[in-house]
Amino acid sequence: MSLGRPVPSGLAVALFAGALVPAALAVASPAFGWLALAVDVAVLLLCAVDFLRAPHARDVDARREVEPILSSGVDNTVRWELHSRTDRPVRGELRDEPPLDVESHGHRQPFTLEPGDTTRLTYRVHPPSRGDARFGDVNLRLMGPLGLCSRQVRLPAGQDVKVYPDLRALSREALTLARASEAVSARTLLRKSVEGREFESLREYRPGDDYRHIDWKSSARHGHTLVRTWQPERNQPVLLLLDCGRHMAGRVQGRRKLDHAVDAALRLARVSLDAGDVVGVLAFASDVRTFLPPRKGAEHLRLITESLYRAEAGLEESDYGRAFDFAFARQTRRALVVLFTDLVDPDASSALLTRTLALRPRHLPVVASLLDEDLEAAATDVPGDATSAYARQAASRMESEYRRTATTLRDAGALVVRAPARGFGAAALNVYLDVKARGRL
């Protein structure tokens, strides 16, 4: 077993620095030079003794506790359990090795262990994107009894994890919060009775009920007036298309556009499946990368999550035609088609317009794109120099192109969603809920 690496403490460095004073005075008298040498040798010997008496790697058990699946875009907890296996107190510092591209807070912490004691350290990691990640080994710096030198050891602790979209946002409580406070328009969507087309149940007549909903046969049979209640139709197809081309590789709020789109798509899939609809997913760029035909059930949500957590945005043009042809060669029923893409490129928007408008009136298309608040600000900022003037002109041109494309889509009967990152998922959900409430499918 390796003895580890000696690391002098701040106290040892201060003592060595103190020896510089007599070393400087050695110019006036050689005796001071001998004094400086004696101080350096003494400190060096004490550091050596301290290193030899410092705890070894075998004296401490270290175990990392982290979930095998982390959520992207949010804080995740990592715990370390340290246990002393020696009859002496152990002081030191732990430094974990989180994945390189993951932001971490507190992965380096001091600790103190009494003989036979156990302590727990906690820190947080914030993965910006989805995919596979790996925690490395752990480094322990074990302090000697004199506090002059530590023994630094490296313990094997490599661990692979998966980073999924934030699944905690898929709960019904999150949905309620999204509808109430995350909506981009900053208005509260009031819960209202849904005028669906599928029979749900019978209940007693209340003043104000529509007479057309009275079930006369059931009322006669039970001896009091009963009315039919309705709910939105179930088993309706919802097809989610995710653009994985170069336009989705840009970053908004520190995360790639595709990461925000995947989060929103999974939230929409969860809600649609809970509502009894069937959900399909297609991820594409220059060709089709992932396709899951519309299905229903909790197992299908797991398959959707598995298929999307590794989705990456490539530096290639998206072929909307190929993706639409592939999807609708297999989709014959009328469906709600939600396309997560970007609408700032004129050439791409032109191709998108042609294929999206062709879906009407058989299907109901929804085009969802992220609002880049920095781009929006650049389009309205007062330029202070030539560079900012060019930036404003380019941003204004992209904003104008988006408005033109969005207007054409809306005029043709498509729905358009544009929202900042913090409310993107809520905005897509609200469109789905409104479509279901109005019976537009």
Side-chain angles (χ1 to χ4, degrees):
M1 179 178 292
S2 173
L3 292 178
R5 180 168 64 89
V7 179
S9 68
L11 176 59
V13 173
L15 291 175
F16 278 116
L20 295 176
V21 176
L25 296 176
V27 178
S29 173
F32 285 107
W34 290 105
L35 177 61
L37 179 61
V39 171
D40 285 341
V41 170
V43 173
L44 187 60
L45 289 174
L46 288 173
C47 286
V49 171
D50 207 27
F51 172 72
L52 293 174
R53 296 186 61 191
H56 290 75
R58 63 176 177 268
D59 296 328
V60 179
D61 285 334
R63 183 168 62 90
R64 182 194 292 118
E65 297 177 357
V66 61
E67 294 293 334
I69 296 178
L70 305 181
S71 295
S72 66
V74 297
D75 286 341
N76 299 261
T77 300
V78 181
R79 296 180 178 86
W80 273 100
E81 183 178 278
L82 303 177
H83 176 69
S84 172
R85 301 179 62 185
T86 181
D87 56 359
R88 295 181 297 163
V90 177
R91 292 184 298 123
E93 183 179 64
L94 176 145
R95 179 171 62 84
D96 198 5
E97 295 181 355
L100 294 177
D101 58 344
V102 170
E103 181 182 352
S104 60
H105 306 277
H107 67 282
R108 184 171 181 171
Q109 296 186 37
F111 65 89
T112 300
L113 286 171
E114 295 301 325
D117 193 15
T118 298
T119 190
R120 290 175 176 82
L121 306 177
T122 300
Y123 74 96
R124 297 188 179 279
V125 294
H126 190 101
S129 58
R130 300 152 291 100
D132 296 318
R134 180 173 177 81
F135 285 86
D137 296 334
V138 62
N139 297 277
L140 297 180
R141 187 171 290 181
L142 306 174
M143 182 68 69
L146 300 179
L148 294 176
C149 190
S150 300
R151 185 191 306 276
Q152 182 160 309
V153 296
R154 185 184 183 91
L155 303 181
Q159 185 175 357
D160 294 318
V161 296
K162 296 180 179 181
V163 182
Y164 278 19
D166 182 14
L167 303 182
R168 291 174 291 184
L170 303 183
S171 65
R172 289 191 178 276
E173 291 77 14
L175 171 61
T176 302
L177 176 63
R179 297 188 68 193
S181 60
E182 287 185 16
V184 180
S185 60
R187 61 183 176 85
T188 301
L189 295 183
L190 301 178
R191 293 184 177 274
K192 57 185 178 180
S193 59
V194 177
E195 187 69 22
R197 293 178 292 177
E198 187 173 287
F199 174 75
E200 181 180 24
S201 62
L202 292 172
R203 63 167 174 81
E204 291 190 9
Y205 174 83
R206 299 169 187 167
D209 284 339
D210 193 329
Y211 289 112
R212 293 173 298 178
H213 294 168
I214 296 176
D215 189 319
W216 296 106
K217 292 184 178 179
S218 298
S219 299
R221 187 163 56 250
H222 289 83
H224 53 273
T225 306
L226 299 174
V227 296
R228 300 186 185 95
T229 60
W230 309 88
Q231 65 179 2
E233 288 189 78
R234 302 166 69 86
N235 296 313
Q236 293 180 309
V238 177
L239 188 58
L240 308 178
L241 306 181
L242 282 105
D243 182 356
C244 299
R246 66 180 182 88
H247 301 296
M248 300 297 283
R251 291 185 177 270
V252 174
Q253 296 292 316
R255 301 178 68 205
R256 291 172 299 183
K257 293 180 180 180
L258 183 60
D259 291 317
H260 294 293
V262 169
D263 286 352
L266 279 177
R267 293 178 69 179
L268 183 52
R270 168 64 184 273
V271 174
S272 302
L273 291 170
D274 283 350
D277 289 331
V278 293
V279 178
V281 171
L282 186 146
F284 69 96
S286 59
D287 57 2
V288 174
R289 296 184 174 182
T290 299
F291 177 69
L292 290 176
R295 297 286 187 273
K296 63 193 310 183
E299 176 63 17
H300 190 55
L301 179 64
R302 186 190 68 79
L303 293 176
I304 293 175
T305 305
E306 284 282 349
S307 68
L308 293 183
Y309 96 93
R310 285 180 177 167
E312 296 288 344
L315 300 180
E316 54 191 285
E317 292 293 339
S318 298
D319 190 335
Y320 297 103
R322 175 176 292 186
F324 280 41
D325 290 343
F326 185 94
F328 295 102
R330 296 159 173 79
Q331 180 60 43
T332 56
R333 293 178 57 197
R334 176 174 169 81
L336 177 66
V337 183
V338 185
L339 171 64
F340 295 92
T341 187
D342 198 37
L343 291 178
V344 296
D345 184 271
D347 295 332
S349 297
S350 177
L352 171 64
L353 271 174
T354 302
R355 299 310 300 252
T356 303
L357 297 183
L359 296 178
R360 295 286 299 164
R362 181 174 185 80
H363 303 286
L364 178 57
V366 178
V367 179
S369 63
L370 276 164
L371 170 63
D372 189 336
E373 294 172 294
D374 293 335
L375 180 65
E376 187 180 42
T380 57
D381 282 348
V382 177
D385 52 28
T387 302
S388 59
Y390 285 127
R392 178 182 179 180
Q393 182 180 13
S396 299
R397 184 181 304 158
M398 286 190 286
E399 285 293 304
S400 298
E401 181 62 32
Y402 166 79
R403 287 192 290 269
R404 186 180 304 112
T405 303
T407 299
T408 304
L409 287 168
R410 290 191 179 101
D411 290 345
L415 304 177
V416 180
V417 177
R418 195 189 194 200
R422 63 179 177 272
F424 189 51
L429 284 177
N430 285 333
V431 169
Y432 167 78
L433 294 171
D434 186 66
V435 167
K436 295 292 288 185
R438 297 175 184 271
R440 297 188 61 178
L441 277 180

